[in-house]
Amino acid sequence: MTTQPRFVRGQPASEGVVKGLAIVKSRAPDDFAVQEAPAQNAWTLEDFLRALTQTRDQLALFQKTIQERVTEQVTQIFAAHLAILDDPEFTGRIRRRIENGAAVREAITGVWSEYVSALSNTANPYMKEKVQDLTDLVNRLLSNLARSGSAGRVGDYRGRILITSSLFPSDILRLVAEKVEGVVLTAGGVTAHLSVLARSLELPMVLADAAILGTVVDGTPLLVDAHHGLIYIDPPPAVLANYKSLLETRGKPSPEERDVQPHTRTKDGRSIRLLAAIGLVSEAKLAADLKAEGIGLYRSEMPFLIRNGFPSEDEQYTVYRKIAEEMGQREIVFRTLDIGGDKILRYFPTQQESNPFLGLRGIRFTFRHQEIFDTQVRAMLRAGFDRPIKIMFPLVPSVDSFLFAKRLVKKLAADLAAAGAPHQAAPDIGAMIELPCAVGMAAELAEEADFLSIGTNDLVQYMLAIDRTNEQIADWYVPWHPAVLRAIRFVVEAAVSRGKPLSVCGDMASSEELTPVLVGMGITNFTIPPRSIPRMQKLIQTIDASAAKALAEKVLASRTVAEAAALIGVKWKAEY
Ligand code: PEP
Ligand code: MG
């Protein structure tokens, strides 16, 4: 174990502050326990059968635990594991090998490798996923054999922080069920769905590719500040003391957080609406608990990303309906599927793209695969049959695309009416302003749309030509760049002059430094993670709208990025 205090700066992927002992899985998950189970043992057929039952029980328990926190669809990941376990061909082969004298471990890994090579020889697009499921399962079986019946202790990662080079959504679900405290991902980048899933399940996660992490051994004390992307290895007492209160307030919202007021006003009384940005049903509950005035953005990707095939219309309906019911008559904006870029459907073969962020993304993906759009919009319209839901399109590039998508929605509503299905016949329809070309057309989009929402994560990425997922260039990802702020001002003016509601979403919307500037520019709707609502309400209550306007004017007039940074109080040293 190391004794020197050390420190790594990475990139936050899911907020939270945790401490715990390292558990290092530096190989791909495909190798986890298969390699780690003891080679020498005297396991019998009875041991194997016991481990089978134990594994089945654990998986059923996972499903149950997770079901309470996310949608039914998420539990499909463990259902796939159970299906392999219940496949008599798979377990029968292992059993026959054992009965013919093979050692239990060799029987299991032998059948596993037969399956893996058979799968590798097929052109099945789910091959990788199946191999992963199979390996996951075999690991679990071997662990259960190795731990001789102590089911309660298997997979209990309480007090542990996982350091790993590879992670998939099913790993996140499993790790949460196994009560891991946090995750440090050392390679491969963090895909949007990993980060959204980790955030939704409140699993702190940091992406850090520093060589020093390779020297951390199992059991090393760690403190992970996933708000700022910091990892302390062997944190000294002074560091622990600094984080004491944050470490204590993890988990469910505190009574103080719940004490949030239903409406938010600036110091001088201007009304500001705080809406929630969510990706999972469980977050709708949190949003309602924390008195969000509505859902300003439901990222609908999650049910598509975390399963083995497209969710059916009814499955989608179930998810959307739960959100609608959770929010009562409050506003809900459902965003249509935003696939592409780093959000890839593993079960849907698409062409390799050399620039995925400039590839088939957002609304363009659904135009190319219109049946996916149709199914989704029908489910959304049906889910809003008794309340005023809104529908919004991501990454709108032009008035043409917006009008085309709007016509599709109207036609789908007319079809539902003709079929006599209860549905929302006249949802408000909005456009996300995330592309520089959409900024240029903001006035016309404001005329055509019922509302606009600025997606600042993508707007910053595309205006500054900085990949939002590339840690190497993160220093240049500066939302306060005067060009970005001027683009936002242009959109505000377009929306205000046409009397159309406008909200700001993306990370910038909950930034401490930029909130006064956004308020000063006339933004009144902020779409933010539910967890940020109490903090943002407190912050806004300290802002004087006329002082904020003066500040915004100064920042907008900045000639340099550094000048803008200084005005809003950001420490920024990068050369630009
Ligand atoms: C954004 O781009 O700011 C946004 C809200 O959309 P997403 O982060 O889902 O791309
Ligand atoms: Mg976006």
Side-chain angles (χ1 to χ4, degrees):
M1 195 184 293
T2 59
T3 49
Q4 283 297 310
R6 287 171 295 163
F7 166 79
V8 174
R9 184 182 290 276
Q11 212 187 318
S14 169
E15 295 189 344
V17 174
V18 281
K19 67 173 180 164
L21 303 180
I23 171 163
V24 184
K25 304 278 189 194
S26 50
R27 281 169 274 126
D30 290 11
D31 301 329
F32 274 7
V34 176
Q35 305 295 332
E36 290 168 7
Q40 300 299 321
N41 59 67
W43 294 328
T44 62
L45 179 62
E46 281 64 43
D47 292 327
F48 168 65
L49 295 175
R50 174 191 49 73
L52 266 186
T53 312
Q54 199 178 341
T55 306
R56 195 174 285 118
D57 291 348
Q58 285 165 4
L59 290 172
L61 187 65
F62 277 179
Q63 266 190 308
K64 190 167 171 294
T65 315
I66 284 200
Q67 214 150 11
E68 284 159 14
R69 304 186 59 172
V70 294
T71 70
E72 310 72 49
Q73 294 172 355
V74 177
T75 65
Q76 297 297 325
I77 293 167
F78 293 125
H81 291 205
L82 273 170
I84 304 170
L85 205 62
D86 287 335
D87 174 4
E89 172 65 19
F90 179 70
T91 46
R93 271 205 219 183
I94 299 175
R95 193 185 172 127
R96 276 194 297 283
R97 282 186 179 219
I98 299 171
E99 283 166 349
N100 289 336
V104 174
R105 184 177 186 279
E106 274 65 45
I108 296 174
T109 54
V111 171
W112 168 74
S113 67
E114 271 175 23
Y115 268 64
V116 169
S117 52
L119 284 167
S120 311
N121 288 334
T122 65
N124 186 335
Y126 314 138
M127 190 275 290
K128 196 164 165 226
E129 193 169 35
K130 282 193 172 157
V131 168
Q132 201 191 332
D133 278 340
L134 195 63
T135 311
D136 228 353
L137 184 69
V138 164
N139 287 337
R140 182 161 297 285
L141 256 176
L142 289 171
S143 306
N144 284 335
L145 274 163
R147 286 163 206 238
S148 61
S150 51
R153 281 186 3 242
V154 171
D156 187 348
Y157 287 152
R158 249 173 275 233
R160 296 298 205 123
I161 294 174
L162 176 70
I163 300 185
T164 182
S165 55
S166 168
L167 203 64
F168 293 91
S170 60
D171 296 324
I172 294 210
L173 294 177
R174 199 186 57 223
L175 289 164
V176 168
E178 291 174 333
K179 308 261 188 313
V180 78
E181 304 288 337
V183 173
V184 176
L185 182 59
T186 57
V190 63
T191 57
H193 58 272
L194 274 183
S195 142
V196 171
L197 190 57
R199 281 181 186 176
S200 302
L201 293 169
E202 298 181 4
L203 175 66
M205 183 158 80
V206 170
L207 170 67
D209 197 5
I212 192 172
L213 287 170
T215 66
V216 173
V217 294
D218 268 357
T220 306
L222 298 178
L223 187 146
V224 174
D225 169 358
H227 294 292
H228 300 99
L230 308 177
I231 302 153
Y232 298 88
I233 303 164
D234 281 320
V239 168
L240 288 171
N242 263 339
Y243 279 97
K244 188 167 175 286
S245 74
L246 276 173
L247 283 165
E248 282 164 2
T249 55
R250 236 198 115 201
K252 293 206 178 325
S254 63
E256 203 181 53
E257 280 178 297
R258 280 180 201 278
D259 199 25
V260 63
Q261 301 303 308
H263 300 292
T264 305
R265 289 187 181 280
T266 58
K267 201 158 105 188
D268 50 341
R270 182 186 299 173
S271 174
I272 302 284
R273 295 173 73 229
L274 298 180
L275 303 154
I278 65 165
L280 282 178
V281 175
S282 56
E283 288 179 298
K285 178 157 181 15
L286 186 63
D289 274 3
L290 294 175
K291 305 197 184 73
E293 296 204 30
I295 303 290
L297 168 67
Y298 168 63
R299 292 181 165 99
S300 63
E301 293 73 62
M302 200 47 64
F304 291 79
L305 289 165
I306 52 186
R307 46 182 290 130
N308 298 329
F310 283 105
S312 68
E313 183 179 321
D314 282 346
E315 284 170 324
Q316 292 184 55
Y317 167 83
T318 309
V319 174
Y320 308 150
R321 185 67 198 161
K322 272 195 185 161
I323 296 171
E325 281 171 359
E326 197 65 70
M327 296 311 290
Q329 288 298 321
R330 280 179 266 192
E331 168 178 357
I332 302 172
V333 178
F334 287 121
R335 180 176 75 182
T336 57
L337 196 59
D338 186 11
I339 283 299
D342 63 340
K343 297 177 211 158
I344 303 300
L345 300 177
R346 282 187 285 165
Y347 51 87
F348 190 67
T350 44
Q351 295 211 307
Q352 278 288 327
E353 298 180 308
S354 50
N355 281 314
F357 277 107
L358 302 182
L360 197 57
R361 246 205 98 178
I363 199 172
R364 289 172 175 151
F365 177 93
T366 45
F367 282 164
R368 185 63 64 82
H369 303 286
Q370 210 175 301
E371 67 294 347
I372 299 171
F373 182 88
D374 290 355
T375 309
Q376 182 176 44
V377 170
R378 267 197 306 270
M380 288 174 172
L381 292 172
R382 285 174 48 209
F385 69 90
D386 58 350
R387 60 199 74 211
I389 54 129
K390 303 182 179 190
I391 292 182
M392 175 164 80
F393 311 127
L395 239 60
V396 170
S398 62
V399 174
D400 316 53
S401 323
F402 179 75
L403 290 178
F404 181 65
K406 191 168 147 178
R407 274 199 299 277
L408 293 178
V409 175
K410 301 253 179 240
K411 157 114 187 22
L412 291 163
D415 291 348
L416 286 170
H423 68 289
Q424 173 54 248
D428 274 0
I429 300 181
M432 287 195 78
I433 307 290
E434 307 186 88
L435 303 175
C437 53
V439 173
M441 303 309 292
E444 290 78 1
L445 284 166
E447 271 158 24
E448 299 297 345
D450 297 311
F451 64 97
L452 299 179
S453 186
I454 305 178
T456 56
N457 295 340
D458 277 313
L459 185 64
V460 173
Q461 153 165 277
Y462 291 116
M463 283 202 67
L464 304 183
I466 293 287
D467 178 346
R468 63 193 254 195
T469 64
N470 184 342
E471 196 199 350
Q472 313 287 332
I473 48 174
D475 277 353
W476 286 299
Y477 188 97
V478 286
W480 62 88
H481 191 304
V484 172
L485 298 176
R486 289 175 195 182
I488 293 177
R489 174 178 57 183
F490 189 78
V491 179
V492 174
E493 283 168 0
V496 169
S497 64
R498 270 98 186 151
K500 296 294 169 68
L502 168 73
S503 82
V504 176
C505 56
D507 292 351
M508 193 172 168
S510 53
S511 142
E512 207 172 312
E513 292 91 0
L514 283 162
T515 299
V517 179
L518 293 172
V519 169
M521 283 161 73
I523 300 283
T524 52
N525 297 306
F526 288 74
T527 297
I528 57 180
R531 219 48 207 243
S532 304
I533 291 174
R535 173 180 65 77
M536 280 287 284
Q537 182 170 80
K538 285 208 174 70
L539 172 66
I540 288 166
Q541 285 164 345
T542 67
I543 295 174
D544 178 272
S546 37
K549 185 161 187 280
L551 171 70
E553 273 162 17
K554 272 198 209 149
V555 180
L556 282 159
S558 298
R559 294 175 61 84
T560 62
V561 177
E563 210 177 304
L567 281 166
I568 61 172
V570 173
K571 287 199 183 64
W572 187 69
K573 281 195 241 123
E575 66 290 352
Y576 210 83

